[in-house]
Amino acid sequence: MRTTVGIIGAGPAGLLLARLLHNAGIDSVVLESRDREYVEHRQRAGILEQGTVDVLRAAGAGGAAGPGGAAARRDRAAVRPEAAPGGLPGPHRRPERHRLRADRGVQGPDRPSTRRRGALLFEAEALRVEGAESDRPLVRFRYQGREDVLDCDYVVGCDGFWGVARNAIPAELARVFERSYPYAWLGILADVAPSHDELVYARHDRGFALLSMRSPSVSRLYLQVEEGTDAESWSDDDIWDELERRFETGDGWRLERGPVTQKSVTPMRSYVHEPMRHGRLFLAGDAAHIVPPTGAKGLNLAVGDVVTFARALTYKKETGGDERLDGYSASCLRRVWQAERFSYDMTSLLHRAPGATPFEGRLQLARLERIAASRAAETDLAEAYTGFPFDEQG
């Protein structure tokens, strides 16, 4: 098989990249190890930044435009990031809506579109990338019981942290930055309408909690738990009881309960691989970086990566210049590190670390009070939460 861009992974980033390239008249082949049903039904993110939504719409990947279409469903699920931190002295407080950036919002996700006009192979397992330093890198993959080869001009690894793309970069040429956190998130999906029309972040002496939505009738909630916790060790009633404790505000607002349909535990970690490019191999999304979910940046960073690559390759096609491809890693990493910084700040602000001292707890409250009282502090948080702009020079 021969193509211009071989894309490993048909998650939202890989599918969006294929669409962007198609729109630019550049052919691609997407290799996905899972089956179509898995890809179409897996929920990939809780928050889409406005920049991400704009890119999806511009690419024609927003689904049908009518009232029942994907774009309309996202609009109906749109929310604004207004923190509601528990544990603050005095009444329940949150940043005022007009103080947040009025031109930028965040939205709930929709299922990724898999209707492609390019080549998309499901149950095609990428085995390895060869010849990244050459002008014709190869992706060896297994499909329908036999091994095959995809001959490319460029390879983009959108295959996640455990994928094969990153392994093609020699270890001696890479730098890895990582941090593991001594706690995790116990997350549930529940068949109940969200108890608030905005996201609610709670800092509590017993640990962090988050209320978010998946749809007007499905809620997504999280509890900070010990690292290594087994999700099944918590009963549904125990989860709801603990959520109620951590969300208690004393102003009459209450959390609504519903049937729990899914439970899982997410470890908390930060990870960055530098560089994000080696020869004609480019890494995107979790293949290159991971952020703790507190900042809601994971999928949005992946979108930024593939937009940067698509713009760079389009520029190459139109002008013959390689400078934007050469600058891919540096351009993406500027945005990645700002997201890492913000996600770390949000995580350390709202979580109670094992063995935390009263001094550290008071510092958290002081930081939260500063956000609630200062327009400059609120604006800084809102700008970071609603998204860092894509680098137009990428």
Side-chain angles (χ1 to χ4, degrees), residues 91-153:
H92 169 66
R93 288 184 281 179
R94 67 185 183 189
E96 298 176 21
R97 182 181 296 267
H98 72 272
R99 290 189 180 181
L100 301 182
R101 295 183 57 172
D103 61 326
R104 301 180 67 83
V106 293
Q107 300 192 13
D110 207 329
R111 291 184 297 190
S113 169
T114 56
R115 291 181 295 177
R116 306 295 320 138
R117 283 176 281 178
L120 169 56
L121 302 182
F122 291 103
E123 299 180 80
E125 180 189 5
L127 302 175
R128 59 189 176 276
V129 177
E130 298 177 356
E133 305 89 344
S134 72
D135 292 339
R136 298 282 291 271
L138 306 174
V139 181
R140 296 196 179 273
F141 65 101
R142 183 177 293 109
Y143 182 62
Q144 295 184 343
R146 64 183 180 87
E147 187 172 317
D148 210 333
V149 176
L150 181 61
D151 184 355
C152 319
D153 291 332

Side-chain angles (χ1 to χ4, degrees), residues 181-208:
Y181 298 83
Y183 35 74
W185 278 12
L186 171 61
I188 63 168
L189 278 175
D191 285 339
V192 60
S195 300
H196 205 289
D197 60 356
E198 298 159 352
L199 277 77
V200 180
Y201 283 73
R203 179 266 179 202
H204 194 279
D205 286 342
R206 296 175 64 91
F208 169 78

Side-chain angles (χ1 to χ4, degrees), residues 331-349:
S331 177
C332 291
L333 285 169
R334 283 192 293 272
R335 194 167 186 265
V336 166
W337 277 112
Q338 286 301 317
E340 292 283 359
R341 184 269 307 169
F342 173 70
S343 298
Y344 172 82
D345 287 348
M346 286 286 285
T347 302
S348 60
L349 171 68

Side-chain angles (χ1 to χ4, degrees), residues 22-42:
H22 173 82
N23 291 348
I26 300 169
D27 61 292
S28 66
V29 172
V30 184
L31 304 176
E32 168 56 46
S33 62
R34 304 278 192 161
D35 61 29
R36 184 187 185 105
E37 182 178 6
Y38 176 89
V39 172
E40 287 185 335
H41 291 88
R42 183 181 179 189

Side-chain angles (χ1 to χ4, degrees), residues 28-356:
S28 66
V29 172
V30 184
L31 304 176
E32 168 56 46
S33 62
R34 304 278 192 161
D35 61 29
R36 184 187 185 105
E37 182 178 6
Y38 176 89
V39 172
E40 287 185 335
H41 291 88
R42 183 181 179 189
Q43 291 279 1
R44 294 287 182 151
I47 294 294
L48 303 182
E49 297 170 357
Q50 187 64 52
T52 296
V53 175
D54 292 344
V55 165
L56 290 170
R57 283 206 173 100
R73 289 196 299 273
R74 274 193 295 272
D75 285 338
R76 288 195 295 270
V79 295
R80 293 281 178 178
E82 301 198 6
L88 279 176
H92 169 66
R93 288 184 281 179
R94 67 185 183 189
E96 298 176 21
R97 182 181 296 267
H98 72 272
R99 290 189 180 181
L100 301 182
R101 295 183 57 172
D103 61 326
R104 301 180 67 83
V106 293
Q107 300 192 13
D110 207 329
R111 291 184 297 190
S113 169
T114 56
R115 291 181 295 177
R116 306 295 320 138
R117 283 176 281 178
L120 169 56
L121 302 182
F122 291 103
E123 299 180 80
E125 180 189 5
L127 302 175
R128 59 189 176 276
V129 177
E130 298 177 356
E133 305 89 344
S134 72
D135 292 339
R136 298 282 291 271
L138 306 174
V139 181
R140 296 196 179 273
F141 65 101
R142 183 177 293 109
Y143 182 62
Q144 295 184 343
R146 64 183 180 87
E147 187 172 317
D148 210 333
V149 176
L150 181 61
D151 184 355
C152 319
D153 291 332
Y154 304 92
V155 176
V156 181
C158 302
D159 51 345
F161 183 78
W162 301 107
V164 302
R166 190 175 63 248
N167 295 333
I169 301 180
E172 62 272 16
L173 301 180
R175 297 185 67 193
V176 170
F177 304 86
E178 57 186 328
R179 175 188 178 90
S180 295
Y181 298 83
Y183 35 74
W185 278 12
L186 171 61
I188 63 168
L189 278 175
D191 285 339
V192 60
S195 300
H196 205 289
D197 60 356
E198 298 159 352
L199 277 77
V200 180
Y201 283 73
R203 179 266 179 202
H204 194 279
D205 286 342
R206 296 175 64 91
F208 169 78
L210 171 63
L211 164 66
S212 64
M213 64 176 65
R214 280 297 179 267
S215 76
S217 60
V218 177
S219 296
R220 181 67 159 159
L221 302 103
Y222 296 95
L223 282 172
Q224 176 188 342
V225 294
E226 293 182 3
E227 184 182 20
T229 293
D230 178 3
E232 297 305 320
S233 67
W234 284 71
S235 71
D236 294 357
D237 286 340
D238 287 343
I239 292 172
W240 286 115
D241 289 346
E242 187 62 24
L243 285 166
E244 285 185 350
R245 290 189 193 98
R246 298 189 193 183
F247 282 126
E248 186 178 5
T249 61
D251 63 356
W253 177 78
R254 41 179 311 215
L255 184 70
E256 297 296 332
R257 298 189 178 204
V260 175
T261 60
Q262 186 182 109
K263 279 189 273 190
S264 62
V265 172
T266 302
M268 304 284 284
R269 63 183 312 211
S270 301
Y271 177 92
V272 180
H273 182 284
E274 295 186 2
M276 291 174 57
R277 176 203 179 182
H278 176 62
R280 294 201 169 199
L281 168 65
F282 297 78
L283 304 180
D286 286 0
H289 44 74
I290 293 174
V291 290
T294 325
K297 295 299 175 192
L299 176 57
N300 297 291
L301 282 180
V303 169
D305 295 342
V306 298
V307 167
T308 300
F309 176 80
R311 287 174 177 170
L313 192 57
T314 302
Y315 180 83
K316 163 76 171 177
K317 177 188 175 186
E318 294 174 347
T319 70
D322 287 316
E323 55 266 31
R324 294 193 175 185
L325 288 169
D326 292 340
Y328 169 83
S329 183
S331 177
C332 291
L333 285 169
R334 283 192 293 272
R335 194 167 186 265
V336 166
W337 277 112
Q338 286 301 317
E340 292 283 359
R341 184 269 307 169
F342 173 70
S343 298
Y344 172 82
D345 287 348
M346 286 286 285
T347 302
S348 60
L349 171 68
L350 296 168
H351 291 73
R352 182 173 179 82

